[in-house]
Amino acid sequence: MRDFTVLAGRILLALIFILSGWGKLGGYAGTQQYMASMGVSGALLPLVLFAELGGGLAVAFGLLTRLAAAGLALFCVLAAYFFHSNWSEQIQFIMFMKDVAIAGGFLVLAAHGAGAFSLDAWWRRRRK
């Protein structure tokens, strides 16, 4: 049961990043403009896409999970700070707290690993 729960948790954590990255890829220019309007260089968008798509897929498949989870935790904290720090708007406070909560989930994943149903576990079994 534990391994199925970890798998489901990984997929649910990763899904928001995979879908968000895919959406940004489809609206590349608009995303760059939005980033610039928030004081973040649109030139950083390739790094954002790498984090969201690459990190999201890595977590979903359990590949380099601890590293990907730690990277996405940092990404969440940075996104909260740069894009959701206007707490005078309740929705921005909620989005800030959502990002912080997701970062917490990723830190737990980074600490405990991907579980048995992951490419990390498969690789470890294969090396033995």
Side-chain angles (χ1 to χ4, degrees), residues 19-95:
L19 295 176
S20 182
W22 189 257
K24 286 176 178 68
L25 197 57
Y28 198 91
T31 302
Q32 282 186 313
Q33 290 173 349
Y34 174 70
M35 289 173 67
S37 76
M38 298 301 288
V40 177
S41 173
L44 294 175
L45 184 53
L47 292 175
V48 170
L49 291 170
F50 176 75
E52 289 188 342
L53 289 172
L57 289 168
V59 166
F61 286 100
L63 177 65
L64 302 173
T65 307
R66 292 177 190 263
L67 179 64
L72 284 172
L74 176 62
F75 178 85
C76 287
V77 170
L78 291 173
Y81 175 78
F82 285 108
F83 294 98
H84 304 298
S85 58
N86 182 5
W87 292 359
S88 64
E89 296 178 27
Q90 184 179 12
I91 190 67
Q92 291 303 317
F93 178 73
I94 292 168
M95 297 295 282

Side-chain angles (χ1 to χ4, degrees), residues 5-16 18 56 59-61 109:
T5 304
V6 174
L7 172 63
R10 281 196 344 256
I11 291 169
L12 292 173
L13 277 169
L15 190 58
I16 192 171
I18 295 166
V59 166
F61 286 100
L109 185 59

